[in-house]
Amino acid sequence: MTFPVITIDGTSGVGKGTISSMLASHLQWHYLDSGALYRITAYTALKKGIDLANEQAITDLANSLSISFLASGEILVDKYDISSAIRTEQVGMSASKVATYPKLRKALFNKQRSFLKAPGLVADGRDMGTTIFPDAKLKIFLTASAEERGKRRYKQLKDKETHAIMPSSNLLQKNDLDLSDIIRKIEQRDHQDMNRASSPLKPADDAVIIDTTLLTINDVFNQVLTLLNKSE
Ligand code: DC
């Protein structure tokens, strides 16, 4: 018995997470944020002082972690909520680095597949449509110019700082609020994710590509729903 899957892949900061969670809650399906698994691995390695260049040690670490995704959005690793701590740029870049390791990707394969439960799954990442769920009923690949993604990220960080209880909270680091630096980091991460040998970031042959540069979140959400209805 298998259940339907919608995959939402694409570049960093393109809004995959927002669209995927909107879709999952609209359909009342499960949601897999696969990037969080790479982020958790990188974050825990940084915390424990494990060398990010050591593929075997990073893979062993990933295999040893007990991770719970709660409905509230909290992510517990060994009982600690690390949902905010894994969202920094530094963790994103480190996640992209460890994500180049074939052993780690193999170790996370079954973990990701285990999210597929009734009545269905929305899976967000870089290789959901190409590698993890090649039989998905609908595959979406989201793109937007690096400039536009940078601007969106900048606005998010600005809002976060404005609303933080303590301005310049520990989520923000030097350069985090420099737009050209944000765009440069986005381009670096795209380059690393697209050019790795193991499951590189690319659209599946049967994916529908949506360029969101000039679209709102609601435009994208409605387009995906229309595509889903057509695929029924
Ligand atoms: O989606 P994200 O920004 O949280 O992902 C962080 C990094 O993890 C991303 O730059 C590359 C890696 N990743 C991956 O290689 N494969 C996935 N399915 C998801 C993320």
Side-chain angles (χ1 to χ4, degrees), residues 9-13 16-17 32-39 86-87 91-100 105 108 112 124-128 132 189-190 192-193 196 198-201:
D9 288 303
T11 47
S12 299
K16 298 184 300 288
L32 164 62
D33 171 5
S34 63
L37 295 171
Y38 292 93
R39 285 176 181 267
I86 61 169
R87 297 294 159 199
V91 174
M93 277 306 281
S94 306
S96 170
K97 179 179 167 64
V98 299
T100 61
R105 303 198 74 85
L108 293 179
Q112 294 174 86
D124 144 11
R126 303 292 187 294
D127 61 342
M128 298 295 99
I132 309 295
R189 194 130 72 90
D190 285 352
Q192 184 154 262
D193 293 343
R196 62 174 179 239
S198 184
S199 297
L201 166 65

Side-chain angles (χ1 to χ4, degrees), residues 2-7 29 116 120-123 133 135-139:
T2 184
F3 307 106
V5 181
I6 302 172
T7 58
W29 287 10
L116 178 49
L121 177 71
V122 181
F133 299 107
D135 298 328
K137 66 180 278 159
L138 178 62
K139 299 180 185 178

